[in-house]
Amino acid sequence: MQFAPSLNFEERETLFVEVILPLSLAINYTYRIPFELNERVAIGKRVVVQFGKHKIYTALVKNITKQPPEFYEAKYIIDVVDENPVLTEKQFQFWNWITSYYLCNEGDVMAAALPTGLKLASETIIVLRDELPNELNLTTKETLIVEFLHKKPRMAIDEVVELLGQKTVYPIINSLIGKEVIYIAEEVIEKYKPLLKSFITLNPLYKEQENLRQLFAALEKAPKQLDALLAYLKLAKLNPSIAKQQLLEESGSGQAAFKSLIEKDIFIQQKMQVSRLLDGEDEFEVNFALSTAQEVAFNAINTQFIEKDVVLLHGITASGKTQLYIKLIEKAIANGGQVLFLLPEIALTTQIVERIKRYFGDKIGVYHSKFNDNERVEIWNKVLNGAYQVVLGARSAVFLPFINLKLIVVDEEHESSYKQHEPAPRYQARDAAIVLAHFHQAKVVLGSATPSIESFYNAENGKYGFVTLNERFGGVQLPLQEVVSIAEETKRKKMTSYFTSVLIDDMSAALENKEQIILFQNRRGYATILICATCGYAPKCVNCDVSLTFHKTSGKLHCHYCGYHQNSLTICPACGSVHIEQKGFGTERIEEELSLIFPDVKIARLDLDSTRTKNGMQQIISDFQDKKTQILIGTQMVAKGLDFDNVSLIGVINADTLLNYPDFRAFERSYQLLAQVAGRAGRRDKQGKVCIQAYNDTHRIIKQVIANDYAQMYTDELAERKQFNYPPFTRLIFINVKHKDANVLNHAAMQLANALRAQLGNRILGPEQPLIARIRNYYIKQIIIKTEKNADIKKVKLVLKDTIKAFNAQKEFKSVITQIDVDPY
DNA sequence: AGCACGCCGACT
DNA sequence: GTCGGCGTGCTC
């Protein structure tokens, strides 16, 4: 790699650039630099190029050469976008690693790594911002664009080309984005809108005793308003701003009383952004001191950093890992270093983010794929120029342009959402973070209450350092855990629908105490399906090999894989029978059954279906938070990251569905999930309760969860992995082969597996039929490569790459799609 | 990813 | 007779 040489103008040297396009292409393309741009081109800058007949893209300069391409005439680059490189040399290194390790194209990495705002293309739409900065220092052309935008708020880049009558508009647009005048329009709906709540303050006029006295007198004939005022004065001792909801409850006055008080200018109402999950009473303090146990752990981590690059922090729930992270971050940024704090996507909406933000103030950026793009570009730039020292982010944050990275924290390192499945690059952000840290000579802390088997194994073998934190912070009690055998209760006829008598009693007791309940039901794959009682026919999706699920709310049958839906059936199309039954039990069904048992209780459901609508999730969560609903039924979502104050009981409807999942990590995952669910109950001063229902109530994993015995779970699990040759003793690569025609696919998959087997022998398994054999009209087969840990994995990957290339070159297999998933998770 | 080219079915 | 369906190949 070399940067643009300074040129002697006499020579008129012709230069070429190798560029990465943000597309999934197997090779990079070479363009010619027009002489006038020689000086401005540099590695890591973006250039504007035409690719194909019409499309214009911003591509990234990977290399500059003097060598003209041998077999074709290179097109000219149209323009150079950036003043300075947007990509650092370390990022190039990192991209290269991702490309070769996860066997994807460089364009895949570019598409995933750069926020949309840095990938302008000809049809990109620009939009004028609502609020413009006070000082506008615009060039003539920039002013022209802004004036035009005042008349027509949305404008395609092609239209800008037309307006200015010149092709080189990208630098101008880039400059306008930089000056915060325009932004790039996006289709993505902003999922994490800040939650606004009404707050009431008293008009400062009434700070005067005399005025207040007069006010009391004036309100004598309006007792409800007086109550409201009194409630305010009572609550306002600590903080003059009180949530309207809280006031309504405290005072017993209605909305009307508040309305007139606001109209009379006595109360002032304001909408304020609040933390979605816990308003106000978060007991986390900004000025805290570490407990002795935390202090010991903190010192141990720092000591181990002398010899190890990665330390696994095994900290049980409520042991105060966050405080420890904060101290570690503080230490890392003390000398201008940067810190990346990775969290699973879902956890980014929780308190931990609030706490860390509160502590570090404006040094911090939050980055995640569902965020709006302006912010993402902004964060990108602030990381690049060092303004942000700490970034909290989901997996894609590993792609940010850190200039002085000193520490990476991966919280909940066992979470499977760190692995990207679709599209390529199929990277594991936790593992990639370790590599990234290595390039920066930074340190990594992997934190979890239930570490992945892989990480624990690495710690055990001395590859990682290891620190435990097993003292509960602030004396939070472990919940009482109980398993109930569904089989036993069925035998004794004690079950009511899906609920054991034990769970029902627990629920009644909790409701009696005005406490809330969360019911956990694993994955909606077990949702209700229709089945003909006469012939066994079950309606299937026309595009995928799955049964359609019945949704009561829409009255329709839906496919969860492709979105297909059709009307429900009353007559069996196969045999004409009218005996159609509903089978299985999704969250929807549980909700229904539950409402029969507790008719007066408000029940809500939190799953993908109920949150698909705009603001659905927030509404459900805040209703539960505000105690408008007493029981929350949910899938994985409720287990992760949500903390509710008043929840005293957690019920697991059926633990077997987790354990029976056909995957070698099923037991590990079950343990992690159940342990996490347990951590949600009664975290405050009161001991909570967890009730786990299962057929398989003596399963070792359930026993280990109850006993809180991670070590035993690990030992058993490791023995199984060893016996059956699974990670961490081997490495896995999945190759998914897809085609529209089942026969072509079968033949193709067999041929490919044979070709691989010829070179890699019994490391090749399959082709096998995956759980779902057809999705979106494509049939799927899976070939698995399982290599021993000490095998030369680079060589294996090379063989794989070459074999697939040769395979796809064969005429009959041209239209066969292959996808490679390295280290599937 | 888009787009052009090219070869087979149901219609003004 | 033509319009348009999408399978295939190509983009420096």
Side-chain angles (χ1 to χ4, degrees), chain A residues 468-494:
Chain A
T468 43
L469 192 56
N470 51 18
E471 188 178 289
R472 256 155 235 285
F473 189 74
V476 177
Q477 275 182 299
L478 246 191
L480 201 70
Q481 300 189 66
E482 187 179 4
V483 203
V484 193
S485 162
I486 301 175
E488 185 68 22
E489 288 235 340
T490 310
K491 212 167 75 192
R492 292 172 186 235
K493 300 206 167 15
K494 284 166 80 183

Side-chain angles (χ1 to χ4, degrees), chain A residues 413-441:
Chain A
E413 66 84 29
H414 63 279
E415 274 292 321
S416 56
S417 64
Y418 282 123
K419 173 79 193 209
Q420 169 147 318
H421 293 281
E422 228 14 80
R426 300 182 175 79
Y427 63 105
Q428 158 56 284
R430 177 238 290 152
D431 301 347
I434 291 170
V435 173
L436 179 70
H438 182 73
F439 291 152
H440 282 269
Q441 292 168 336

Side-chain angles (χ1 to χ4, degrees), chain A residues 528-532 536-539 547-550 557 568-570 580-583:
Chain A
T528 316
I529 63 163
L530 294 188
I531 189 156
C532 170
Y537 169 87
S547 292
L548 294 168
T549 55
F550 179 68
L557 301 171
S568 188
L569 304 168
T570 45
I580 305 258
E581 287 178 358
Q582 290 180 17
K583 218 186 147 206

Side-chain angles (χ1 to χ4, degrees), chain A residues 12-216:
Chain A
R12 279 215 152 232
E13 199 164 20
T14 307
L15 296 175
F16 297 88
V17 279
E18 181 193 346
V19 300
I20 306 172
L21 286 150
L23 304 170
S24 193
L25 301 166
I27 55 159
N28 288 331
Y29 289 79
T30 303
Y31 285 82
R32 182 171 169 166
I33 307 176
F35 181 73
E36 329 74 85
L37 295 180
N38 271 2
E39 300 248 307
R40 289 177 50 207
V41 173
I43 289 171
K45 284 190 186 179
R46 290 170 298 156
V47 289
V48 181
V49 295
Q50 185 166 61
F51 184 67
K53 280 223 161 94
H54 306 279
K55 282 231 49 171
I56 287 176
Y57 288 99
T58 44
L60 194 77
V61 179
K62 191 193 177 190
N63 227 334
I64 301 172
T65 57
K66 294 178 189 174
Q67 199 65 42
E70 234 179 294
F71 304 106
Y72 55 86
E73 192 75 9
K75 273 186 189 163
Y76 282 100
I77 63 169
I78 297 169
D79 207 349
V80 179
V81 180
D82 300 304
E83 292 278 325
N84 299 301
V86 286
L87 215 71
T88 65
E89 211 153 328
K90 289 210 169 71
Q91 281 177 291
F92 268 117
Q93 238 182 321
F94 185 57
W95 285 23
N96 275 335
W97 178 81
I98 297 253
T99 309
S100 58
Y101 187 89
Y102 291 105
L103 297 170
C104 63
N105 300 317
E106 287 180 278
D108 294 326
V109 183
M110 178 172 174
L114 292 187
T116 330
L118 297 176
K119 288 179 294 195
L120 311 172
S122 38
E123 71 279 6
T124 302
I125 304 284
I126 59 168
V127 185
L128 197 63
R129 290 201 178 212
D130 293 333
E131 283 174 40
L132 298 178
N134 296 333
E135 276 181 46
L136 276 179
N137 247 329
L138 301 180
T139 64
T140 329
K141 280 172 181 166
E142 286 170 359
T143 312
L144 199 61
I145 296 174
V146 171
E147 277 172 5
F148 197 88
L149 280 170
H150 276 300
K151 284 177 278 177
K152 185 176 183 293
R154 295 170 68 85
M155 206 173 168
I157 289 193
D158 278 346
E159 294 178 86
V160 182
V161 172
E162 226 172 282
L163 175 73
L164 298 184
Q166 65 179 59
K167 268 200 158 181
T168 61
V169 300
Y170 287 80
I172 303 173
I173 286 167
N174 201 43
S175 154
L176 283 171
I177 294 174
K179 290 176 182 171
E180 300 185 353
V181 177
I182 60 167
Y183 63 91
I184 303 302
E186 268 207 294
E187 315 283 311
V188 198
I189 319 136
E190 216 186 311
K191 276 198 179 163
Y192 296 93
K193 267 198 175 163
L195 182 67
L196 295 176
K197 273 199 171 183
S198 295
F199 281 81
I200 300 286
T201 44
L202 187 65
N203 191 326
L205 199 67
Y206 302 107
K207 279 200 179 127
E208 297 284 330
Q209 281 300 323
E210 179 55 24
N211 289 342
L212 189 62
R213 203 189 53 78
Q214 281 178 16
L215 178 61
F216 271 115

Side-chain angles (χ1 to χ4, degrees), chain A residues 651-666:
Chain A
V652 178
I653 301 292
N654 186 329
D656 305 273
T657 55
L658 285 167
L659 292 162
N660 295 335
Y661 198 71
D663 179 290
F664 73 93
R665 277 187 251 258

